[in-house]
Amino acid sequence: MHVRLAILLCLIIALTGCGRSLSVDTASEWLPTPTIAPFFQDRPTATPFVPPPTRTPLPTRPPVTPAAETGNEPANDIRSLQVLPVYRDALSTGWSITNSALLGSLTLTQTNVVALGQYAIAVTPSESTGILFFTVTPDSGIELRRDQVAALRLRLSGGDTPIANDGMTISVVGSNRVPYWDPNDNSVSLEGRLTNSSEPLFPETRLYFLGLNRAIAPGEWAEIYVWLDDLIYEPEYTYVTGFYLKTSSDLVTKYYVDQVEWLIRDQP
């Protein structure tokens, strides 16, 4: 009898211990699973500020570069520079755009989006990088010496769409041999750069480096200044023979150019 009671008590104690073990295991299943996922969730994208449309030109920078070492007038005071037009309702004599490439469409007499006058240039880039190329023609008689050219000035708009300040580049090209554009001209070189390199010989400068600190808003015209002395990695050359605007349709679907001109220093 005593033996049976002892065995029964042992069984009760054993079962009680198992029950406690099971209750502990069951409770652990309800503990929250550690995670750091909230720290890696995508944050909402901020809506960019788009200025209201305006027809007033947005200058890329003040039209004055640092003062010269001598004299009281700034080195490139806009008032002291002569203006040589390239496009005002039409291409000036001695200029061509036939060297433009990879464009879906190009017209010189667009009337819907105009900065001044009656017409503007309308350009639609292709899916590849399109180039609107202005060049001096061989029979032009134009001689733009690099040491006398202060800046290229033009007005730029995206019409109904904005143009990001990193969506386009502008490049000024030249020659040491002739004062006009020759596609076979290899008279200019850059130290450390092969002449037949795939990299551009002349610097292709984005709009933000030209002082445009935001996108050109829809309906807005920006007045772009390309001060040649401010360009970096520019090779030495004697004559300015042309310039181009470069972009692709995935960056700029369509753009407009107007009032294109050179700013020239007086000859000493």
Side-chain angles (χ1 to χ4, degrees):
M1 182 68 176
H2 293 289
V3 174
R4 291 179 180 177
L5 288 175
I7 293 173
L8 182 61
L9 288 174
C10 289
L11 289 174
I12 293 173
I13 292 171
L15 290 174
T16 302
C18 291
R20 288 177 181 175
S21 176
L22 288 173
S23 63
V24 171
D25 293 341
T26 303
S28 65
E29 295 177 0
W30 292 95
L31 292 177
T33 303
T35 178
I36 57 173
F39 293 97
F40 295 94
Q41 290 179 351
D42 293 334
R43 296 182 179 181
T45 302
T47 302
F49 170 71
V50 178
T54 175
R55 293 185 63 85
T56 303
L58 167 71
T60 57
R61 52 168 290 178
V64 175
T65 57
E69 294 182 1
T70 60
N72 297 323
E73 290 295 324
N76 282 340
D77 188 334
I78 197 77
R79 295 166 298 180
S80 67
L81 300 176
Q82 299 179 11
V83 176
L84 179 66
V86 176
Y87 176 88
R88 288 180 179 175
D89 284 345
L91 274 178
S92 298
T93 302
W95 288 93
S96 171
I97 57 170
T98 58
N99 292 289
S100 300
L102 301 175
L103 299 179
S105 65
L106 172 61
T107 178
L108 297 176
T109 55
Q110 186 278 143
T111 58
N112 295 327
V113 182
V114 178
L116 291 173
Q118 294 181 315
Y119 304 113
I121 303 172
V123 185
T124 303
S126 66
E127 294 181 1
S128 301
T129 301
I131 297 176
L132 174 62
F133 202 171
F134 297 80
T135 56
V136 179
T137 60
D139 59 349
S140 67
I142 297 174
E143 186 174 294
L144 287 172
R145 293 189 61 87
R146 169 62 184 85
D147 57 358
Q148 294 174 357
V149 177
L152 170 68
R153 179 170 65 184
L154 57 90
R155 295 192 181 188
L156 178 66
S157 176
D160 295 334
T161 59
I163 298 179
N165 63 355
D166 63 348
M168 179 180 293
T169 61
I170 300 178
S171 183
V172 177
V173 302
S175 171
N176 280 319
R177 183 171 59 87
V178 291
Y180 54 84
W181 168 252
D182 179 356
N184 299 315
D185 188 348
N186 59 1
S187 62
V188 180
S189 61
L190 192 62
E191 186 176 356
R193 176 75 57 80
L194 297 175
T195 303
N196 60 353
S197 171
S198 60
E199 295 294 324
L201 180 61
F202 297 90
E204 297 182 340
T205 308
R206 294 191 183 276
L207 299 178
Y208 61 74
F209 186 82
L210 299 174
L212 199 68
N213 60 6
R214 61 171 173 82
I216 303 173
E220 186 175 53
W221 283 94
E223 192 169 51
I224 308 294
Y225 287 84
V226 184
W227 296 98
L228 270 61
D229 289 344
D230 289 350
L231 299 177
I232 58 175
Y233 306 119
E234 184 190 39
E236 293 185 3
Y237 57 97
T238 305
Y239 305 104
V240 174
T241 59
F243 62 95
Y244 59 82
L245 283 69
K246 183 177 180 180
T247 189
S248 57
S249 60
D250 59 332
L251 296 174
V252 180
T253 56
K254 193 169 187 176
Y255 64 91
Y256 304 85
V257 181
D258 202 354
Q259 302 299 301
V260 184
E261 51 204 13
W262 294 103
L263 303 180
I264 310 295
R265 300 185 183 95
D266 289 331
Q267 296 184 8

